[in-house]
Amino acid sequence: MPFRVELPPTFAERLDRADRALIGMWVCSASPLVAEICAGSGLDWLLIDAEHSPNELGSILAQLHAVGPKPTLVRPPSGDPVLIKQYLDLGAQNLLIPMIDTPDQAAAVARAVAYPPEGIRGMGGALARGARWNRAGDYLTRARDTISLFVQIESAEAVANVEAIAGTPGVDGIFVGPADLSASLGLLGQQDRPEVIEAVETCVAAARRLGVKVGLNAFDPALARRYLAAGADFVLVGADVQLLARGSDALAATFIGENR
């Protein structure tokens, strides 16, 4: 008789149960070993990225294996429903979809994570890790309950539409990306400008009014603390590749810089 598998709680469920904001980091190196190290750090959650990283389905699967039960979001490079289907089938339970500007786009990705009749996700549970090869009991009828969907607010248009996006049925939360948002506002790379901070806080406030979970990216500790105080529910405060780059820079500056 096959062993029955219980899938872990979704990230949305963990946010609902949390008594404080959850602090996490990016995993961008496409390395299962690095992902495993990050998972053991004591941070609350990880984001495995495929939008700006050399990740593909096989490397994402290997990293999901490596991080084990650590709460993990996975970001595809786009909201393509074919990619979403593949990510769900390989066992990503929590998706972060980039560049959502309108409620129609949010509704489209919400349909992509659900089986018919509510959605358009293709059937393949018997073949897929997402259903644990049909060892996750009643997966077809309860699959949507095992998935959480977050969408990214990264443009001036998205900020203008934030309440409609956040309120889209099937969307479990929003995530603000200050880097792309600063570019959209004509302030490329200036995430600490008042205009960008105001836009971010507008999104946080809108989500809180709606009772929707809201996260964001803030590598600057002062900005991270400001957004946490404003009510952010989950925040990314660093990245594996960023920590390696800055750490190796510091070593070079300490031991070589003065002799160059």
Side-chain angles (χ1 to χ4, degrees):
M1 184 174 182
F3 182 73
R4 180 185 172 94
V5 175
E6 288 297 331
L7 297 176
T10 68
F11 190 60
E13 290 172 325
R14 293 176 190 271
L15 287 170
D16 285 339
R17 297 173 188 175
D19 57 5
R20 60 170 176 80
L22 301 185
I23 307 302
M25 67 178 291
W26 299 79
V27 179
C28 303
S29 62
S31 164
L33 178 62
V34 172
E36 185 177 14
I37 292 169
C38 295
S41 66
L43 291 168
D44 297 310
W45 64 286
L46 303 177
L47 172 63
I48 296 174
D49 181 45
E51 185 185 13
H52 296 296
S53 303
N55 268 310
E56 44 80 38
L57 295 177
S59 64
I60 292 169
L61 175 59
Q63 288 168 88
L64 290 173
H65 287 156
V67 304
K70 174 66 69 173
T72 303
L73 283 172
V74 181
R75 183 169 74 169
S78 74
D80 181 342
V82 174
L83 278 177
I84 288 174
K85 173 179 62 180
Q86 291 180 301
Y87 278 48
L88 294 176
D89 281 352
L90 64 80
Q93 285 183 256
N94 310 291
L95 296 182
L96 176 62
I97 308 300
M99 295 294 183
I100 298 298
D101 295 323
T102 69
D104 286 345
Q105 291 173 342
V109 295
R111 289 193 296 273
V113 303
Y115 286 129
E118 292 81 10
I120 61 169
R121 180 183 174 189
M123 307 293 292
L127 309 175
R129 180 177 180 267
R132 298 306 189 269
W133 306 278
N134 279 347
R135 290 173 179 158
D138 303 318
Y139 183 79
L140 292 182
T141 58
R142 52 190 289 266
R144 186 61 186 85
D145 294 334
T146 71
I147 296 163
S148 62
L149 172 67
F150 296 83
V151 298
Q152 283 198 246
I153 305 295
E154 302 184 83
S155 70
E157 181 183 8
V159 174
N161 290 324
V162 64
E163 291 202 14
I165 293 170
T168 300
V171 169
D172 295 295
I174 62 171
F175 185 90
V176 187
D180 281 296
L181 181 54
S182 68
S184 176
L185 294 172
L187 300 166
L188 183 66
Q190 301 175 67
Q191 298 179 43
D192 57 352
R193 283 284 294 268
E195 300 94 323
V196 180
I197 294 171
E198 180 183 4
V200 173
E201 292 182 337
T202 293
C203 295
V204 173
R208 293 190 66 79
R209 283 195 302 273
L210 293 170
V212 172
K213 298 301 182 183
V214 55
L216 50 90
N217 187 58
F219 287 8
D220 180 328
L223 281 178
R225 293 188 180 97
R226 175 169 179 160
Y227 295 143
L228 287 166
D233 298 294
F234 56 111
V235 179
L236 290 168
V237 295
D240 55 352
V241 291
Q242 174 235 8
L243 293 170
L244 180 58
R246 299 294 78 77
S248 56
D249 288 349
L251 287 174
T254 299
F255 293 102
I256 302 174
E258 61 192 36
N259 298 316
R260 284 182 176 172

